Amino acid sequence: TMSRLYEEALRDDAGGGEAWEHFRCYQGELPDVAHVESGRIYAVVVTGSHHSVNDPEQAWIPPLLAFLRTCVERGNCGVFGACFGCQAVAAALGSRIVPNPSGAYRIGVEEVVATEELMKLSDYRKACTVFRPVLPQGEDGRARLRVIESHAEQIETLPPGATLLGSSPCTEVEAFCLGNRVLAVQSHPELSMGVVRETTVPHLLKKGYVSEEGASAALEELHGELDDDLVLFMAKIFLHHNHRKQSHAEAKDRNPRSS
């Protein structure tokens, strides 16, 4: 499943021994808020979904948004969201989620232009020491990241206090962060090119989300290298390294003589 792919990609390499729990939010499953408040849960990953954040028939979405809002407000729980997860976090923090301006379903490879803020972000810079962007920087010195996208809706405006990290011709808010509490991307870094070509595109065509022409256009785009490893590595640093820094700071507060 999608959540298992993220566990494999984002598990702490530093031997933290963290335990991953998987919740089917669409079936009403959510973590216990008390575990967030106590620090037992220090990070949350919200994956993609075929559901819309705006669907009034999905009774599980408001509780999910309330939970995410609590995580962010507590300040001790990092939240990473991708595609639906990106939109859910933004909606929880006050953003509007709207249909793609083109009116068409977006499926294919998007070229996301990094903002200056992303280029300066320590988590991004560390990730780039391991995975270099596959495309050269533009004349403006900004990175361009190749990522897979599959969505009918997008974030209209940033949540209050958030920082824009990337934009594309299709989507203004491709990625954003909120301090060291939120990192969100509109793309699907967990999906391989082969899976999207062989499974996702045919499914969207069958369900009528894309036309024959749209499916053909997507398949033409779905080739070449992607920056998924870079995005996932940045998310891993965000989730685990920031937690370790926070834990160390809290320990020093309790014992000022510790180092």
Side-chain angles (χ1 to χ4, degrees):
T1 64
M2 200 175 294
S3 63
R4 299 292 176 182
L5 291 174
Y6 275 110
E7 177 180 355
E8 182 178 343
L10 300 178
R11 181 170 287 282
D12 189 4
D13 292 331
E18 83 275 10
W20 282 68
E21 298 179 77
H22 299 261
F23 297 87
R24 299 176 180 86
C25 300
Y26 55 89
Q27 294 182 356
E29 299 177 3
L30 285 173
D32 190 334
V33 171
H35 292 163
V36 174
E37 295 174 343
S38 68
R40 179 177 179 272
I41 293 177
Y42 70 82
V44 170
V45 176
V46 192
T47 69
S49 171
H50 66 275
H51 291 291
S52 166
V53 170
N54 294 321
D55 190 344
E57 296 184 3
Q58 303 304 317
W60 55 275
I61 290 180
L64 169 63
L65 302 189
F67 171 76
L68 294 174
R69 194 156 44 245
T70 297
C71 290
V72 176
E73 289 173 351
R74 286 290 303 173
N76 63 340
C77 180
V79 178
F80 173 67
C83 198
F84 169 88
C86 175
Q87 296 176 12
V89 176
L93 300 178
S95 293
R96 290 183 66 226
I97 310 303
V98 298
N100 294 339
S102 67
Y105 193 99
R106 179 65 178 118
I107 175 69
V109 176
E110 198 68 71
E111 193 172 297
V112 177
V113 178
T115 62
E116 292 182 3
E117 287 73 18
L118 175 60
M119 302 289 288
K120 297 175 183 176
L121 198 66
S122 62
D123 293 347
Y124 172 78
R125 295 171 69 89
K126 290 173 185 174
C128 285
T129 65
V130 181
F131 299 102
R132 301 297 299 176
V134 300
L135 295 175
Q137 290 185 352
E139 294 182 0
D140 59 1
R142 298 184 187 181
R144 296 174 296 153
L145 305 179
R146 296 188 82 240
V147 296
I148 290 176
E149 306 237 333
S150 177
H151 59 93
E153 298 176 313
Q154 58 184 263
I155 300 166
E156 183 179 50
T157 55
L158 283 172
T163 300
L164 182 67
L165 299 180
S167 299
S168 73
C170 174
T171 305
E172 176 65 23
V173 183
E174 279 283 359
F176 72 91
C177 69
L178 184 61
N180 62 359
R181 292 177 289 171
V182 173
L183 176 64
V185 297
Q186 181 59 62
S187 62
H188 274 282
E190 84 287 359
L191 294 180
S192 70
M193 195 83 78
V195 167
V196 177
R197 288 181 61 90
E198 298 166 15
T199 304
T200 308
V201 173
H203 174 75
L204 293 172
L205 178 60
K206 181 179 179 180
K207 292 293 185 179
Y209 288 105
V210 298
S211 62
E212 290 278 359
E213 182 181 359
S216 297
L219 292 175
E220 289 182 10
E221 292 182 12
L222 290 162
H223 63 84
E225 293 184 87
L226 297 169
D227 286 301
D228 291 346
D229 288 337
L230 190 159
V231 174
L232 289 170
F233 199 80
M234 179 173 67
K236 181 187 295 189
I237 296 171
F238 162 76
L239 291 173
H240 301 296
H241 181 63
N242 286 339
H243 168 68
R244 286 195 290 272
K245 287 194 298 184
Q246 179 174 302
S247 297
H248 183 67
E250 290 174 351
K252 290 187 69 174
D253 287 341
R254 291 191 296 269
N255 181 10
R257 295 184 179 180
S258 66
S259 59

